[in-house]
Amino acid sequence: MEPASIFRVAALSVDGAAGGTSNVPRTRRPEEVSAVALRRDCPRPSESAETNGEEADTMQATASTPESGLLRRTKLRHFLRTRRAQVTPEQVGLVHVERRRTPGLRREEVAALAGVGVSWYTWLEQGRDINVSEGVVNAVSDALMLKGYEREYLYRLAGHNPPWPRGSRPRDANGVRMRALVEGWSVNPAYLTDRYGRIEIASNSARSLFHVGLRGDNCLVKFFTDPTVRVKYPDMDTVARGLVAHFRAQAARFPEDPEFDRIAGRLHEHSPLFADLWDCHEVDNPYQRVRRITHPQAGLMVFDRVTMRSPAFPESLLTVYIAQPRTDTAERVRGLLHSHARALLSPSLV
């Protein structure tokens, strides 16, 4: 079962008073305000407006069905529903005449666009235990206008290895960023994380900037449970959305690993912001991002955040923050490193 559904009752019970309801208005925390704002950006399909067996949209697990397969099909069901709700008839060339009660496409429209039967697509979206060919996965991906990593995520949920992505990653023209990484490693904060986002190795500049370094610190958990971490990001909402989308994509790469669901379950219970983003079922890969960070000592810094995998560590992710050219970010990082070095040598003078 998806952690979203497991913890929804617990999350709702926290807001109500024990033994009854309270008429005293409750002031929302800043994190809850962000969660409400982000919820509006994540369309959800109506649970009652569609026919074609929507009301019977349940999965029957048999004794021979592995738990991991049931969980994967549950994720597939939610993902297809949310993606279908985000595609409008006009986007796929359908004439929109009558008023619709649900957002996005109907099931029969997706089936027609993918060239499959309506009943068969309904079974697929209901998460039934059926065999899905790679050709059908590709056709459904086209019908739903999935982006590169959304397509990869759907392939994995359907039980297939995704095809090698062609042109889905931005190219580093003339190797500028890679040269910057090699030549300026000392001022480029970098860290290596495992499949769950836990720190394995961190450079001196990363420890100074992000206050990480303890092996096992989880970047995702720290972001959503420590307000002092989130406040460093002027674009906090965008950063939060990207972290959750990447964690979901990572979970699909390792469908047999229950630790992803345990981490998501704990965060779903303790962070309203994470809960709303997790329920959006977005997937992404953070290959390259522009990241703005405000440090209490160094001020505002702007980085190109680049992530990569090494064949020697296929399950780990190397993240490097490269100071953007034509900014004073590199000088600010050097100043921060110098300040921390002085503090270590003579704490009473700093």
Side-chain angles (χ1 to χ4, degrees), residues 54-128:
E54 189 87 31
E55 66 280 357
D57 205 351
T58 57
M59 289 192 303
Q60 299 295 327
T62 62
S64 61
T65 302
E67 182 181 355
S68 60
L70 180 62
L71 186 61
R72 175 172 54 81
R73 294 195 301 276
T74 302
K75 294 178 180 179
L76 174 65
R77 183 180 74 219
H78 290 303
F79 181 68
L80 289 176
R81 282 184 176 182
T82 55
R83 294 315 96 184
R84 176 164 60 86
Q86 290 188 348
V87 182
T88 65
E90 292 78 9
Q91 285 179 294
V92 295
L94 297 177
V95 179
H96 188 182
V97 180
E98 77 283 1
R99 182 175 178 273
R100 297 184 175 226
R101 293 179 294 171
T102 56
L105 298 177
R106 293 169 175 163
R107 281 176 171 171
E108 58 266 28
E109 292 169 339
V110 176
L113 290 168
V116 299
V118 177
S119 296
W120 190 92
Y121 177 77
T122 299
W123 296 340
L124 177 66
E125 193 176 286
Q126 288 176 347
R128 298 196 186 185

Side-chain angles (χ1 to χ4, degrees), residues 71-265:
L71 186 61
R72 175 172 54 81
R73 294 195 301 276
T74 302
K75 294 178 180 179
L76 174 65
R77 183 180 74 219
H78 290 303
F79 181 68
L80 289 176
R81 282 184 176 182
T82 55
R83 294 315 96 184
R84 176 164 60 86
Q86 290 188 348
V87 182
T88 65
E90 292 78 9
Q91 285 179 294
V92 295
L94 297 177
V95 179
H96 188 182
V97 180
E98 77 283 1
R99 182 175 178 273
R100 297 184 175 226
R101 293 179 294 171
T102 56
L105 298 177
R106 293 169 175 163
R107 281 176 171 171
E108 58 266 28
E109 292 169 339
V110 176
L113 290 168
V116 299
V118 177
S119 296
W120 190 92
Y121 177 77
T122 299
W123 296 340
L124 177 66
E125 193 176 286
Q126 288 176 347
R128 298 196 186 185
D129 190 7
I130 58 177
N131 293 323
V132 186
S133 69
E134 293 186 21
V136 168
V137 175
N138 189 60
V140 171
S141 299
D142 290 339
L144 295 176
M145 304 178 67
L146 299 184
K147 297 187 290 292
Y149 285 99
E150 291 177 323
R151 186 180 296 258
E152 176 182 337
Y153 183 68
L154 180 58
Y155 265 85
R156 295 190 186 280
L157 291 183
H160 294 291
N161 289 322
W164 185 262
R166 293 175 291 180
S168 59
R169 290 184 172 181
R171 295 183 178 181
D172 180 10
N174 302 319
V176 174
R177 291 184 175 85
M178 189 56 67
R179 285 203 305 272
L181 168 65
V182 174
E183 295 170 1
W185 185 271
S186 61
V187 296
N188 290 327
Y191 51 82
L192 189 72
T193 53
D194 65 8
R195 61 168 70 174
Y196 314 111
R198 296 183 300 211
I199 294 291
E200 294 183 316
I201 304 171
S203 66
N204 288 333
S205 51
R207 290 194 292 269
S208 298
L209 182 59
F210 302 113
H211 298 291
V212 298
L214 293 176
R215 185 180 177 89
D217 279 354
N218 190 302
C219 298
L220 180 77
V221 173
K222 198 166 186 177
F223 181 90
F224 283 100
T225 58
D226 188 348
T228 64
V229 173
R230 294 192 298 276
V231 76
K232 293 181 181 180
Y233 296 91
D235 310 307
M236 188 274 289
D237 290 346
T238 301
V239 175
R241 188 184 293 271
L243 287 174
V244 176
H246 171 62
F247 188 74
R248 183 174 284 280
Q250 277 286 94
R253 295 185 70 236
F254 307 98
E256 307 298 328
D257 190 339
E259 182 63 20
F260 287 98
D261 289 302
R262 281 195 287 267
I263 294 173

